[in-house]
Amino acid sequence: MSSETVYVLADAHLGADPERAAALHEFLATVPAPGDHVLLNGDLFEFWFEYGRVIPRAAFGTLARLAAMRQRGVRLSVTGGNHDRWGRGFWERELDAAFYRGAAELSLAGFRAYVAHGDGVAEPRTGSRLLHAITRHPLTAAAFRWIHPDVGIGLVERLSGVAGERNRLPAAVERAAAVQRAWATALLARRAELDLVVLGHTHRAALVPAGERRWYLNPGAWMDGFRYAVIGAGGPELKTYRPR
């Protein structure tokens, strides 16, 4: 049985809200202990893109806190979300973190877990599914790198704000959360070797038992009240962080 403690966070969407970032920085500095594992399951930033020699300036403060956390001996894994999957080696080289653009199968506190951000799984509209397919394509990222960062990042920030408000309509979110839950429980039923399915994206926390020591887990969105999850030897728990 593993003694590892895993902290799972998703959907912080850092970039516009200083309070949200400050709470996360405090959490990273005080909660995980040496030997623990932090899993950032997509959309840590409102937008993240790596060029050959450039990363977004707004991410610097958070990256510095993650580097300090790594120096304390906390393991770090990062999965790309629909806002920040375009990594090119920065996470591995500069932070000694594991980075996954899409889904990954990981051992989390001794549980075999299927981990993905969840975009593309539960999109309520055909247009949303098409947009996710386009942004995932390598040619899209290659073309975007030819745009000057000031222009490209500014354009994406304006567009993501408009799309984000539309996609967070309560009825659409509830439909997406229900579809996501059904997808996750079907995956657990189909693959008996999995203990956990960990998703994010819908901003709806969920902890659904699927058998003996088997669960579907969505930690909820950090941006919505500092939600996260902890996975220990006894299984996952949903938590809320209270800043000091």
Side-chain angles (χ1 to χ4, degrees):
M1 183 176 293
S2 173
S3 60
E4 177 184 61
T5 299
V6 183
Y7 296 90
V8 184
L9 294 85
D11 297 289
H13 291 272
L14 302 182
D17 186 338
E19 181 183 359
R20 191 185 308 161
L24 180 61
H25 296 169
E26 181 182 289
F27 176 92
L28 296 173
T30 58
V31 176
D36 289 344
H37 182 183
V38 169
L39 169 62
L40 301 175
N41 195 23
D43 288 0
L44 173 63
F45 300 110
E46 184 62 21
F47 183 64
W48 166 269
F49 192 91
E50 288 180 46
Y51 299 82
R53 295 177 174 82
V54 175
I55 60 171
R57 178 177 179 176
F60 174 77
T62 300
L63 297 174
R65 269 64 171 200
L66 289 170
M69 184 191 77
R70 288 288 295 120
Q71 290 172 355
R72 298 201 323 269
V74 177
R75 180 181 166 195
L76 176 62
S77 296
V78 180
T79 58
N82 51 299
H83 287 250
D84 56 7
R85 67 167 35 92
W86 303 278
R88 297 190 73 191
F90 176 87
W91 295 101
E92 294 94 339
R93 288 194 305 267
E94 307 302 330
L95 292 175
D96 191 26
F99 176 73
Y100 308 94
R101 289 181 178 84
E105 293 190 17
L106 309 175
S107 177
L108 302 177
F111 296 99
R112 183 166 180 175
Y114 177 97
V115 179
H117 181 60
D119 55 302
V121 169
E123 306 306 327
R125 292 183 298 275
T126 301
S128 296
R129 292 193 293 273
L130 178 62
L131 179 61
H132 287 304
I134 292 171
T135 59
R136 286 172 181 267
H137 201 284
L139 289 178
T140 304
F144 190 84
R145 287 190 178 94
W146 285 95
I147 304 174
H148 189 282
D150 288 349
V151 176
I153 292 173
L155 176 63
V156 169
E157 286 176 344
R158 288 194 292 274
L159 292 176
S160 66
V162 172
E165 288 303 316
R166 184 173 64 249
N167 290 333
R168 283 193 286 271
L169 292 173
V173 172
E174 294 305 328
R175 286 197 304 272
V179 172
Q180 188 181 73
R181 172 176 173 164
W183 184 91
T185 53
L187 180 61
L188 285 163
R190 189 167 66 249
R191 296 191 53 187
E193 76 278 12
L194 292 175
D195 305 306
L196 273 168
V197 172
V198 182
L199 302 175
H201 186 60
T202 60
H203 295 211
R204 290 295 184 269
L207 180 55
V208 182
E212 183 69 22
R213 292 175 64 79
R214 304 180 77 220
W215 303 268
Y216 157 52
L217 171 66
N218 186 321
W222 181 267
M223 72 175 290
D224 298 330
F226 312 138
R227 304 296 300 271
Y228 70 104
V230 177
I231 306 172
E237 298 177 75
L238 297 173
K239 298 281 189 179
T240 299
Y241 183 64
R242 306 295 183 193
R244 297 175 181 177

